[in-house]
Structure formats: C-alpha cells, structure tokens
Amino acid sequence: MDKTPLFKGYNETAVLLTPQQQIDNLRKNHGLTLNDLPNEGILSAMNPSRIESQLLKLGWILSKKIKISPNTQAFPVKVFTKDIRHIFLAYGGGVGPSALCADLELLIMLGAKKIYLLGMCGGIANVQIGDVVVATKAIRDEGVSYHYLNKSVEASASNALISSLKKNLKAHFGVIWTSDAIYRSTVSKYEKYKTQKVLGIDMETASAYAVAIYRNID
C-alpha cells in the first residue's frame, strides 16, 4: 500500500478503549481506588512540585492523594482544600501531548469540568523571560488534536475561563504555536508567526484544548 488514508472513510465514533474502560481496568488489575475528583483543578505540563509549593504558601491544605494511572505514580493527583473550595493538581505524565492528554481524559472521566493547564513555553513575539502568557488559541502543528477535531488552523480555550482570567491576571493574552516535534520547529514558521504576533511555542496546548472541546469541558 503506497498511501495510508488517515482521515477519510472511517467511522470515528467507536474506539478500541474508552477512558471509562481504562479506569475500570486500573481499579480491577492495579488495585487503584479512583474516587471522584473535585470538578476543577490544575493539570501541570511542568514540574508540579513547584505549583504545589505555591498552593501551600497561599493557604491551600493537601487533603488527599489519588493515583489514577501508571503514568502518575511519581506524582499522584493531589486534592487541596481552602475554606469550602476543593481543587486538584495533576501532572501530565511527561514531555509532550500524548501522555498529558491520556491523563486529561481520565481526569475528565473522574469528574473534572474546569481545568487550568499550566506549563512553560518559548517566547516568540513581544514577550520576555518570566512573562505570563495565556493562550486564547493554539495553532495545531501537532498530532493529537486531529484525533478529536476536524481539520482547522487553531484550537481555542474556554471563553468563560479566558474572560475570568482577563479580570484577575496580568498577562499576555493571545495565540501560541503548539508543535510536538522539538527538532522540527522550523525557522520559516517561527519568522511567519513572529510577524503575526504569535506569543510563544509549546508542545501540549492545542492538543489539550482539542480534548476539552471534544469532551465539552472548560
């Protein structure tokens, strides 16, 4: 076979493994007790210990740890409480969108409805080291998002969350470029996106946004 058609002629509904089946498997074969999560939390694409230390400094109390998959054994999902509010902190399982989105799917199946993705990116236009960047949209130059959404240039963040952040956070808001091939982020694309005021480049955002859109969560 000379060509492998990736996007035409297939039923995209039925899948070999669902998130619920994976959770059932983890409960049965790995002995994991998977409780329901708070409906909001943080999914970290960088070292989550740094985020955890900041939460503790802000008065959040660690109330529970949950191991949800073999990828999260080193850093289980942690539930924090402050006053009457509960949030979770989860780690994306390693570098790149595949591991992060696999864990994202499980978090959603366990009850997450509102997720803040935290990570680091390389700067492109009008940003400096240490600046905070909020991706309102992400250019889909990766692979995971195309398993969830039809072809398009960008995947967008939740309008509700972006509106809330704009009221409460001093940051650069705009488009970023997501590419999951570190050594194939070409100069020509960089120069084009710089002229278009794209703020930065990362590996996960477009993929995570696509999963969130497909699963109808913020």
Side-chain angles (χ1 to χ4, degrees):
M1 184 181 294
D2 294 329
K3 296 182 179 180
T4 304
L6 294 177
F7 298 105
K8 294 182 179 180
Y10 295 98
N11 181 336
E12 299 291 345
T13 303
V15 296
L16 295 175
L17 178 68
T18 68
Q20 183 61 63
Q21 289 171 331
Q22 177 70 332
I23 288 172
D24 293 341
N25 168 62
L26 293 169
R27 284 175 173 149
K28 179 180 178 180
N29 297 318
H30 295 269
L32 300 184
T33 302
L34 299 178
N35 302 316
D36 291 341
L37 291 173
N39 63 10
E40 63 177 330
I42 299 166
L43 177 58
S44 175
M46 62 182 186
N47 185 347
S49 298
R50 298 170 60 183
I51 301 171
E52 180 180 13
S53 67
Q54 291 300 312
L55 289 173
L56 295 173
K57 288 180 181 178
L58 291 170
W60 290 89
I61 299 171
L62 176 60
S63 58
K64 184 166 56 176
K65 298 180 182 180
I66 305 171
K67 294 182 179 181
I68 67 165
S69 79
N71 287 337
T72 59
Q73 301 308 298
F75 189 92
V77 177
K78 298 184 179 182
V79 177
F80 294 85
T81 302
K82 185 177 182 181
D83 300 325
I84 60 172
R85 189 177 177 189
H86 304 278
I87 64 170
F88 64 82
L89 172 61
Y91 180 40
V95 176
S98 296
L100 182 137
C101 287
D103 287 338
L104 174 56
E105 285 272 32
L106 298 184
L107 294 172
I108 294 169
M109 185 55 60
L110 290 170
K113 299 295 185 185
K114 183 188 298 184
I115 299 177
Y116 296 90
L117 176 66
L118 262 61
M120 293 184 288
C121 69
I124 297 180
N126 303 323
V127 295
Q128 304 296 323
I129 293 174
D131 284 356
V132 177
V133 171
V134 177
T136 57
K137 297 179 180 180
I139 296 168
R140 298 170 60 189
D141 196 14
E142 37 69 66
V144 173
S145 69
Y146 293 91
H147 295 281
Y148 289 87
L149 303 179
N150 293 330
K151 289 184 178 181
S152 65
V153 174
E154 301 164 338
S156 297
S158 159
N159 288 330
L161 293 192
I162 291 297
S163 296
S164 175
L165 288 173
K166 284 183 176 179
K167 295 177 182 177
N168 298 288
L169 182 66
K170 183 178 180 181
H172 299 276
F173 289 81
V175 179
I176 69 164
W177 166 26
T178 296
S179 172
D180 53 358
I182 294 175
Y183 302 112
R184 292 299 300 155
S185 303
T186 60
V187 173
S188 62
K189 289 180 181 178
Y190 171 85
E191 296 295 347
K192 176 183 177 180
Y193 294 146
K194 189 172 184 178
T195 63
Q196 295 177 346
K197 307 303 182 184
V198 172
L199 297 175
I201 177 173
D202 85 327
M203 296 181 68
E204 297 89 7
T205 300
S207 303
Y209 284 3
V211 174
I213 293 168
Y214 183 81
R215 297 298 183 190
N216 195 30
I217 64 115
D218 289 323

